Amino acid sequence: MHPAWSAALATLPSCWRQAIGDEFEQPYMAALAEFLAAERAAGKTIFPPEPLTFAALARTPLRAVKAVILGQDPYHQPGQAMGLSFSVPPGIRVPPSLRNIHRELQADCGIAPPEHGCLTAWADHGVLLLNTALTVEQGRAGSHARAGWHRFTDRVIQAVNDGPEPVAFILWGGHARKKAEMLDATRHLVVESDHPSPLAAARAATSPSPFAGARPFSRTNDFLRERGREAVDWRLD
């Protein structure tokens, strides 16, 4: 295993280590570690901060996952990325896509939008907030999309898909929806819609699957309850 991953692996809950720990031994992960080290050595700023790279897995154990919300890559401006898809730390301005998520949450579940954009409460209640790429260069969205992360996060998605409990996979936008073919829709709920971005919202009138009105939060909870699982507490107080 590359030394860069030893400490990271140790921070993960044992259920994740058992399910995907061998992935850290793969040659592509060593190459990914070398790529990130070279980028930092070249003076590039990489988000999120290195200790938060695997925050989604560290925060939400595999055995606790009730739902997965899949993002593309971390926010790429200073202070935003915290290793959880769509989430920003308290005190950081709420990004436009997240504002639309808040609006849908209120329309769907009657939960008033919070003053902040921090989604750690969701992560702590079993929502795996996963990006398909876990790092990004400052100011360059998608810059690490081909660095090797997709192979790793596909393994994460597969581990959830193969688990014993039914889970809701919430796929927003074309990038996330490509993962639907990996999922067993006979066991799990797959909720697909447009991305919550303002650009997608502007095209909602002509879309067959607009984000607004898709009701991903209540549909997730209805599904979980029907299968004897505890619902997600979507409140963000």
Side-chain angles (χ1 to χ4, degrees):
M1 181 185 300
H2 193 281
W5 302 135
S6 298
L9 183 61
T11 68
L12 300 188
S14 61
C15 49
W16 279 121
R17 293 199 301 269
Q18 292 168 9
I20 63 166
D22 59 339
E23 205 70 12
F24 287 87
E25 305 276 1
Q26 299 299 316
Y28 82 90
M29 286 296 283
L32 178 54
E34 294 295 337
F35 165 77
L36 293 172
E39 293 288 279
R40 293 187 174 102
K44 297 179 181 179
T45 300
I46 306 301
F47 295 130
E50 194 168 1
L52 297 179
T53 302
F54 298 96
L57 304 182
R59 193 100 196 188
T60 309
L62 175 58
R63 64 179 180 275
V65 175
K66 301 174 186 175
V68 179
I69 295 180
L70 193 61
Q72 185 164 347
D73 56 0
Y75 292 119
H76 55 84
Q77 295 301 331
Q80 293 181 315
M82 55 185 297
L84 306 175
S85 63
F86 295 101
S87 183
V88 294
I92 298 297
R93 183 179 179 182
V94 179
S97 293
L98 184 51
R99 285 201 297 272
N100 286 338
I101 293 170
H102 284 168
R103 291 188 187 102
E104 180 63 17
L105 180 64
Q106 183 171 31
D108 187 12
C109 300
I111 297 173
E115 298 276 327
H116 60 82
C118 183
L119 303 180
T120 53
W122 287 1
D124 291 342
H125 285 100
V127 182
L128 180 62
L129 298 169
L130 183 70
N131 285 310
T132 54
L134 299 188
T135 58
V136 70
E137 181 185 340
Q138 179 175 329
R140 295 188 61 218
S143 52
H144 292 181
R146 299 186 179 183
W149 281 124
H150 284 231
R151 184 170 168 183
F152 178 83
T153 54
D154 278 358
R155 178 71 185 279
V156 172
I157 294 167
Q158 198 65 55
V160 178
N161 181 71
D162 292 346
E165 297 287 354
V167 169
F169 289 87
I170 301 173
L171 309 179
W172 292 330
H175 180 83
R177 295 172 77 173
K178 290 178 181 176
K179 304 299 182 181
E181 63 187 25
M182 297 175 56
L183 307 175
D184 182 357
T186 65
R187 296 180 56 238
H188 304 297
L189 175 67
V190 181
V191 180
E192 298 187 53
S193 74
D194 293 345
H195 196 275
S197 70
L199 179 61
R203 299 171 178 167
T206 58
S207 171
S209 54
F211 173 76
R215 300 176 48 248
F217 310 106
S218 63
R219 288 169 64 188
T220 291
N221 280 354
D222 289 346
F223 170 82
L224 292 171
R225 291 190 188 102
E226 287 168 2
R227 282 151 183 81
R229 298 202 70 188
E230 182 182 11
V232 174
D233 183 350
W234 294 108
R235 291 174 297 178
L236 290 168
D237 300 334

